[in-house]
Short mmCIF file of all heavy atoms in Angstrom, two decimals:
data_model
loop_
_atom_site.label_atom_id
_atom_site.label_comp_id
_atom_site.label_asym_id
_atom_site.label_seq_id
_atom_site.Cartn_x
_atom_site.Cartn_y
_atom_site.Cartn_z
N ALA A 92 20.48 50.43 53.66
CA ALA A 92 21.73 49.77 53.40
C ALA A 92 22.93 50.68 53.70
O ALA A 92 23.93 50.24 54.24
CB ALA A 92 21.79 49.31 51.94
N ARG A 93 22.79 51.94 53.39
CA ARG A 93 23.89 52.90 53.70
C ARG A 93 24.12 53.00 55.18
O ARG A 93 25.25 52.98 55.64
CB ARG A 93 23.52 54.28 53.11
CG ARG A 93 23.87 54.51 51.67
CD ARG A 93 23.45 55.88 51.24
NE ARG A 93 24.09 56.29 50.03
CZ ARG A 93 23.58 57.19 49.20
NH1 ARG A 93 22.42 57.76 49.47
NH2 ARG A 93 24.26 57.54 48.12
N ARG A 94 23.06 53.09 55.92
CA ARG A 94 23.19 53.22 57.37
C ARG A 94 23.74 51.93 57.98
O ARG A 94 24.53 51.98 58.94
CB ARG A 94 21.84 53.60 57.99
CG ARG A 94 21.37 54.99 57.59
CD ARG A 94 20.06 55.37 58.25
NE ARG A 94 19.55 56.62 57.74
CZ ARG A 94 18.51 57.27 58.20
NH1 ARG A 94 17.81 56.73 59.20
NH2 ARG A 94 18.11 58.43 57.67
N ALA A 95 23.33 50.79 57.41
CA ALA A 95 23.87 49.54 57.89
C ALA A 95 25.36 49.43 57.62
O ALA A 95 26.14 48.92 58.45
CB ALA A 95 23.14 48.35 57.22
N ALA A 96 25.79 49.90 56.46
CA ALA A 96 27.22 49.86 56.13
C ALA A 96 28.00 50.81 57.08
O ALA A 96 29.09 50.46 57.52
CB ALA A 96 27.44 50.29 54.69
N ALA A 97 27.45 51.99 57.34
CA ALA A 97 28.14 52.92 58.25
C ALA A 97 28.22 52.35 59.65
O ALA A 97 29.28 52.52 60.32
CB ALA A 97 27.38 54.24 58.25
N LEU A 98 27.17 51.67 60.11
CA LEU A 98 27.16 51.13 61.46
C LEU A 98 28.15 49.96 61.61
O LEU A 98 28.90 49.85 62.58
CB LEU A 98 25.76 50.61 61.81
CG LEU A 98 25.61 49.90 63.14
CD1 LEU A 98 25.75 50.90 64.31
CD2 LEU A 98 24.25 49.20 63.23
N SER A 99 28.18 49.10 60.60
CA SER A 99 29.02 47.88 60.68
C SER A 99 30.43 48.10 60.23
O SER A 99 31.32 47.30 60.56
CB SER A 99 28.38 46.78 59.83
OG SER A 99 28.36 47.14 58.46
N GLY A 100 30.69 49.16 59.46
CA GLY A 100 32.00 49.33 58.87
C GLY A 100 32.26 48.40 57.71
O GLY A 100 33.42 48.29 57.29
N ALA A 101 31.26 47.72 57.22
CA ALA A 101 31.39 46.75 56.14
C ALA A 101 30.60 47.17 54.93
O ALA A 101 29.67 47.99 55.02
CB ALA A 101 30.89 45.35 56.60
N VAL A 102 31.02 46.65 53.78
CA VAL A 102 30.18 46.77 52.58
C VAL A 102 28.99 45.84 52.75
O VAL A 102 29.15 44.68 53.08
CB VAL A 102 30.97 46.40 51.32
CG1 VAL A 102 30.04 46.33 50.10
CG2 VAL A 102 32.08 47.45 51.04
N VAL A 103 27.80 46.37 52.58
CA VAL A 103 26.57 45.61 52.80
C VAL A 103 25.89 45.37 51.42
O VAL A 103 25.67 46.34 50.67
CB VAL A 103 25.60 46.34 53.71
CG1 VAL A 103 24.24 45.61 53.79
CG2 VAL A 103 26.22 46.42 55.14
N VAL A 104 25.63 44.12 51.12
CA VAL A 104 24.92 43.73 49.93
C VAL A 104 23.53 43.27 50.40
O VAL A 104 23.30 42.18 50.88
CB VAL A 104 25.61 42.56 49.20
CG1 VAL A 104 24.82 42.20 47.94
CG2 VAL A 104 27.04 42.97 48.81
N ASP A 105 22.56 44.23 50.31
CA ASP A 105 21.17 43.95 50.75
C ASP A 105 20.43 43.32 49.58
O ASP A 105 19.96 44.00 48.70
CB ASP A 105 20.56 45.28 51.19
CG ASP A 105 19.21 45.10 51.87
OD1 ASP A 105 18.78 43.93 51.99
OD2 ASP A 105 18.61 46.10 52.29
N LYS A 106 20.36 42.01 49.60
CA LYS A 106 19.91 41.24 48.43
C LYS A 106 18.41 41.32 48.23
O LYS A 106 17.64 41.56 49.14
CB LYS A 106 20.35 39.80 48.60
CG LYS A 106 21.85 39.62 48.65
CD LYS A 106 22.28 38.14 48.67
CE LYS A 106 21.86 37.43 49.92
NZ LYS A 106 22.51 36.08 50.02
N GLY A 107 18.03 41.04 46.98
CA GLY A 107 16.62 41.03 46.63
C GLY A 107 16.49 41.33 45.13
O GLY A 107 17.47 41.40 44.43
N PRO A 108 15.26 41.52 44.64
CA PRO A 108 15.08 41.86 43.23
C PRO A 108 15.63 43.24 42.88
O PRO A 108 15.75 43.57 41.71
CB PRO A 108 13.55 41.80 43.05
CG PRO A 108 13.00 42.03 44.42
CD PRO A 108 13.98 41.39 45.36
N ASP A 109 15.93 44.02 43.91
CA ASP A 109 16.51 45.35 43.73
C ASP A 109 17.72 45.47 44.65
O ASP A 109 17.82 46.41 45.47
CB ASP A 109 15.50 46.46 44.03
CG ASP A 109 14.80 46.25 45.37
OD1 ASP A 109 15.08 45.26 46.07
OD2 ASP A 109 13.98 47.13 45.75
N THR A 110 18.67 44.55 44.52
CA THR A 110 19.82 44.49 45.43
C THR A 110 20.53 45.84 45.50
O THR A 110 20.82 46.48 44.50
CB THR A 110 20.82 43.44 44.94
OG1 THR A 110 20.18 42.14 45.05
CG2 THR A 110 22.08 43.45 45.78
N VAL A 111 20.84 46.25 46.74
CA VAL A 111 21.56 47.47 46.99
C VAL A 111 22.93 47.10 47.58
O VAL A 111 23.04 46.27 48.50
CB VAL A 111 20.84 48.39 48.00
CG1 VAL A 111 21.69 49.61 48.33
CG2 VAL A 111 19.50 48.84 47.39
N VAL A 112 23.97 47.70 47.02
CA VAL A 112 25.35 47.54 47.55
C VAL A 112 25.74 48.89 48.16
O VAL A 112 25.68 49.92 47.47
CB VAL A 112 26.34 47.13 46.46
CG1 VAL A 112 27.75 46.95 47.06
CG2 VAL A 112 25.91 45.86 45.75
N ALA A 113 26.11 48.88 49.44
CA ALA A 113 26.47 50.14 50.12
C ALA A 113 27.77 50.01 50.84
O ALA A 113 28.08 48.95 51.43
CB ALA A 113 25.37 50.51 51.12
N ALA A 114 28.59 51.05 50.78
CA ALA A 114 29.88 51.09 51.41
C ALA A 114 29.81 52.00 52.64
O ALA A 114 28.98 52.91 52.72
CB ALA A 114 30.94 51.63 50.43
N PRO A 115 30.73 51.78 53.61
CA PRO A 115 30.72 52.63 54.82
C PRO A 115 30.92 54.11 54.51
O PRO A 115 30.53 54.97 55.32
CB PRO A 115 31.87 52.07 55.65
CG PRO A 115 32.03 50.65 55.18
CD PRO A 115 31.67 50.67 53.73
N ASP A 116 31.55 54.45 53.39
CA ASP A 116 31.83 55.85 53.05
C ASP A 116 30.66 56.53 52.40
O ASP A 116 30.74 57.71 52.01
CB ASP A 116 33.09 55.97 52.20
CG ASP A 116 32.96 55.26 50.83
OD1 ASP A 116 31.84 54.82 50.50
OD2 ASP A 116 33.95 55.16 50.14
N GLY A 117 29.54 55.85 52.23
CA GLY A 117 28.32 56.47 51.69
C GLY A 117 28.04 56.12 50.25
O GLY A 117 26.92 56.36 49.77
N ARG A 118 29.02 55.58 49.54
CA ARG A 118 28.73 55.18 48.16
C ARG A 118 27.73 54.03 48.15
O ARG A 118 27.70 53.20 49.05
CB ARG A 118 30.00 54.72 47.47
CG ARG A 118 30.98 55.80 47.10
CD ARG A 118 32.27 55.19 46.54
NE ARG A 118 32.92 54.30 47.51
CZ ARG A 118 33.77 53.35 47.19
NH1 ARG A 118 34.07 53.13 45.92
NH2 ARG A 118 34.37 52.64 48.13
N ALA A 119 26.88 54.02 47.16
CA ALA A 119 25.91 52.97 47.05
C ALA A 119 25.49 52.75 45.61
O ALA A 119 25.59 53.67 44.77
CB ALA A 119 24.63 53.29 47.87
#
């Protein structure tokens, strides 16, 4: 999720039973 956020420049909400929220700046 972190790498996806860095690639896209967007906050990525990778959904599931263990949803991860990742920002382009590396916060997750």
Side-chain angles (χ1 to χ4, degrees):
R93 275 179 163 156
R94 294 182 186 186
L98 176 71
S99 64
V102 170
V103 172
V104 180
D105 189 358
K106 296 185 294 191
D109 50 359
T110 295
V111 175
V112 181
D116 62 9
R118 288 175 298 158

